[in-house]
Amino acid sequence: MCALNFLITIRVWLKRDSGQYWPSIYHTMSSPCSAMAYHHDSRRIFVGQDNGAIMEFHISEDFNKMNFVKTYPAHQNRVSAITFCLTSEWVISTGHDKCVSWMCTRSGSMLGRHYFTSWASCLQYDHETRYAFVGDYSGQITLLKLEQNTCSVITTLKGHEGSITSLWWDPVQRLLFSGASDHSIIMWDIGGRKGRTLLLQGHHDKVQAICYIQLTRQLVSCSADGGIAVWNMDISREEAPQWLESDSCQKCEQPFFWNIKQMWDTKTLGLRQHHCRKCGQAVCGKCSTKRSSYPIMGFEFQVRVCDSCFESIKDEDRTSLATFHEGKHNISHMSMDISRGLMVTCGSDRIVKIWDMTPVVGCSLATGFSSR
């Protein structure tokens, strides 16, 4: 089990006979560590730093020795995300110099760079197609096709109202999940029904990390306030409607405050515009006095709905489709060992926690698992 110390060291923690984890080895870094990728089969660790460099290490089979391999001059500023592709021997990374870079691990040389208008904050990579998904601080996700020395932009995905903080790519169902500082998660159907999106709202702070468990069709998400949510994605969910625009309430037809002509003609004051989260219609406050959760559309909290939609929502429609748990520390990073049902969270409190998630994510993951 590997973890980052966010000061100046990288450490390997091993579980002792006492059941406690203790550091086995460590390496002192010249610059604070900001990102890490660990390749289990080859026991290679790639550590991104605040100075833009990526350092590669190889861990011995007994996890008691760490050998430095090489340094990659990947970025001019803080490294935000790293992934390693063994088949092509590429290390791909994003950074606060507003670029994604891919380098050859055999030669250590730079293969290519692509620049964005905002800091590149997170990264996912499809090894088969060489597609890279890059989230940035503007709230946009860019899909790139990486080649040996060049790349092409396939499309951009826009749906978040805040910076992209986390991405997860499921190559089996070809689904992309994104978490953002707007406290929401969006599922993008990249493979089948292109353009289809599902919105999930169940966090009170920015979503810091996500992991989709394809076997049980569950999504695990963690937020900065320590909230942990496990979403049931093995059901037919409804896509949230696009918000409609109108100069007057689409229920009572009273003008909104910018509709000067209708206000003059009817001798009435304009009203503030709102939107029903269930039907998407533009409505005034008097026609949307109710609040309701609607989990099948991803709204685990109570949201504004128009009065007619409120009447159409049955009690069983309000049954939660997610479970919520308290991490009890500010979660800045999360990683899951899906085969054993273990989750690791790191917090700004410098504490690393290891969670047994098998009671939450299903017993099918617990084959050969011994309780921690």
Side-chain angles (χ1 to χ4, degrees):
M1 184 75 66
C2 295
L4 277 179
N5 183 309
F6 290 97
L7 294 176
I8 55 171
T9 63
I10 175 174
R11 298 170 183 255
V12 177
W13 299 73
L14 294 180
K15 186 181 181 184
R16 306 302 183 183
D17 293 338
S18 63
Q20 299 296 315
Y21 285 87
W22 293 94
S24 169
I25 47 176
Y26 72 92
H27 183 89
T28 302
M29 311 293 284
S30 59
S31 178
C33 305
S34 56
M36 182 180 74
Y38 174 62
H39 190 263
H40 182 271
D41 293 338
S42 62
R43 299 189 306 281
R44 296 161 76 176
I45 299 178
F46 299 87
V47 182
Q49 299 175 270
D50 272 1
N51 61 12
I54 296 176
M55 297 182 70
E56 180 185 352
F57 300 88
H58 182 263
I59 306 297
S60 64
E61 191 171 351
D62 61 1
F63 291 95
N64 282 309
K65 187 176 183 182
M66 183 188 304
N67 294 315
F68 168 73
V69 179
K70 63 169 66 77
T71 299
Y72 303 88
H75 297 276
Q76 300 299 315
N77 207 322
R78 183 181 187 181
V79 180
S80 55
I82 307 171
T83 187
F84 170 63
C85 179
L86 182 62
T87 54
S88 60
E89 285 287 344
W90 287 1
V91 57
I92 309 159
S93 60
T94 56
H96 285 189
D97 54 358
K98 302 180 181 180
C99 86
V100 57
S101 69
W102 55 107
M103 305 187 69
C104 176
T105 54
R106 294 189 182 96
S107 63
S109 61
M110 178 68 66
L111 297 175
R113 278 195 177 103
H114 179 82
Y115 285 88
F116 306 92
T117 57
S118 300
W119 286 356
S121 52
C122 46
L123 168 72
Q124 286 285 281
Y125 182 68
D126 185 80
H127 299 264
E128 182 180 351
T129 62
R130 291 189 175 180
Y131 283 169
F133 300 90
V134 181
D136 64 39
Y137 272 75
S138 73
Q140 180 174 286
I141 302 168
T142 304
L143 172 56
L144 299 168
K145 170 73 172 181
L146 302 187
E147 305 291 352
Q148 187 68 26
N149 297 110
T150 186
C151 72
S152 55
V153 176
I154 304 301
T155 189
T156 56
L157 305 174
K158 299 177 181 179
H160 285 288
E161 297 179 357
S163 58
I164 309 298
T165 53
S166 52
L167 291 172
W168 184 273
W169 168 246
D170 174 38
V172 178
Q173 291 184 275
R174 306 196 68 75
L175 299 174
L176 178 71
F177 296 88
S178 59
S181 60
D182 60 8
H183 309 178
S184 70
I185 301 166
I186 294 180
M187 186 196 85
W188 312 84
D189 192 341
I190 304 298
R193 294 157 287 184
K194 294 183 179 179
R196 175 176 177 266
T197 61
L198 291 177
L199 177 67
L200 303 175
Q201 293 185 335
H203 287 287
H204 297 281
D205 206 335
K206 60 182 178 180
V207 180
Q208 296 279 55
I210 49 180
C211 174
Y212 178 64
I213 306 173
Q214 201 275 333
L215 179 64
T216 59
R217 303 292 199 275
Q218 290 172 296
L219 178 71
V220 181
S221 58
C222 299
S223 59
D225 62 357
I228 301 171
V230 181
W231 306 81
N232 179 12
M233 304 303 295
D234 194 25
I235 57 172
S236 179
R237 289 181 176 267
E238 294 180 16
E239 184 175 355
Q242 294 291 325
W243 285 4
L244 302 177
E245 295 303 325
S246 176
D247 289 331
S248 57
C249 176
Q250 293 180 295
K251 295 297 182 180
C252 69
E253 299 184 351
Q254 290 295 303
F256 293 129
F257 63 84
W258 62 82
N259 190 348
I260 306 297
K261 184 179 184 304
Q262 188 177 348
M263 283 192 295
W264 178 265
D265 292 342
T266 60
K267 302 295 188 295
T268 57
L269 291 175
L271 304 174
R272 184 181 175 187
Q273 184 191 58
H274 301 283
H275 285 90
C276 172
R277 301 311 193 264
K278 187 176 185 292
C279 69
Q281 287 190 322
V283 292
C284 67
K286 292 181 179 179
C287 294
S288 56
T289 60
K290 307 294 185 181
R291 302 290 186 275
S292 176
S293 60
Y294 196 52
I296 199 168
M297 201 174 277
F299 300 118
E300 292 287 338
F301 300 148
Q302 289 196 349
V303 293
R304 180 186 295 271
V305 293
C306 66
D307 292 352
S308 57
C309 281
F310 182 83
E311 296 300 327
S312 70
I313 300 175
K314 302 180 178 65
D315 288 342
E316 55 265 30
D317 295 334
R318 297 183 176 91
T319 302
S320 178
L321 297 176
T323 59
F324 299 93
H325 315 270
E326 179 53 57
K328 296 183 179 180
H329 72 152
N330 177 297
I331 297 175
S332 53
H333 296 277
M334 177 267 283
S335 180
M336 281 199 67
D337 182 345
I338 296 175
S339 63
R340 294 191 293 168
L342 293 178
M343 180 177 74
V344 176
T345 59
C346 301
S348 58
D349 53 7
R350 304 180 186 178
I351 294 176
V352 177
K353 294 185 178 182
I354 302 176
W355 303 80
D356 174 8
M357 296 294 287
T358 53
V360 178
V361 300
C363 61
S364 58
L365 296 178
T367 304
F369 172 76
S370 58
S371 179
R372 271 5 185 212

